[in-house]
């Protein structure tokens, strides 16, 4: 199971859907991140390698998501 920004991504879902479980990541941000990382939208979250996960972490660090976004809204 992949863990990105403190969120466990669901298993057996397309990564394009699984990334949207992260607070602040919607369809638009998800598509931008996957294109930047050169990862196929339909790749299963089970099939992510450590290299893919690190690329996703780096790409998502440029956006205000999860903890930072929750604190700002609160």
């Amino acid at each position: 199971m992949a863990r990105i920004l403190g969120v466990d991504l669901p298993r057996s879902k397309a990564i394009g859907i699984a990334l949207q479980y992260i607070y602040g990541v919607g369809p638009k941000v998800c598509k931008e991140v996957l294109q930047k990382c050169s990862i196929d939208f339909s790749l299963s979250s089970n099939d992510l390698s450590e290299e893919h996960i690190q690329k996703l972490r780096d790409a998502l660090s440029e956006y205000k998501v999860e903890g930072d976004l929750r604190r700002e809204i609160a």
Side-chain angles (χ1 to χ4, degrees):
M1 180 181 314
R3 186 170 179 89
I4 298 176
L5 299 174
V7 175
D8 291 328
L9 297 182
R11 295 178 181 207
S12 303
K13 289 209 182 253
I15 192 62
I17 302 301
L19 277 180
Q20 294 180 37
Y21 280 70
I22 298 172
Y23 188 78
V25 177
K28 181 181 175 189
V29 172
C30 181
K31 187 174 181 179
E32 290 173 3
V33 167
L34 290 176
Q35 286 177 347
K36 187 181 293 185
C37 296
S38 302
I39 298 174
D40 184 34
F41 189 84
S42 61
L43 180 71
S44 174
S45 59
N46 287 339
D47 298 334
L48 288 176
S49 66
E50 284 300 317
E51 180 182 332
H52 286 134
I53 294 171
Q54 189 59 44
K55 283 182 181 179
L56 288 170
R57 285 183 186 138
D58 293 341
L60 285 170
S61 68
E62 298 173 11
Y63 295 91
K64 189 174 285 193
V65 293
E66 199 52 45
D68 295 335
L69 184 58
R70 288 184 192 267
R71 279 189 290 276
E72 182 178 305
I73 290 175

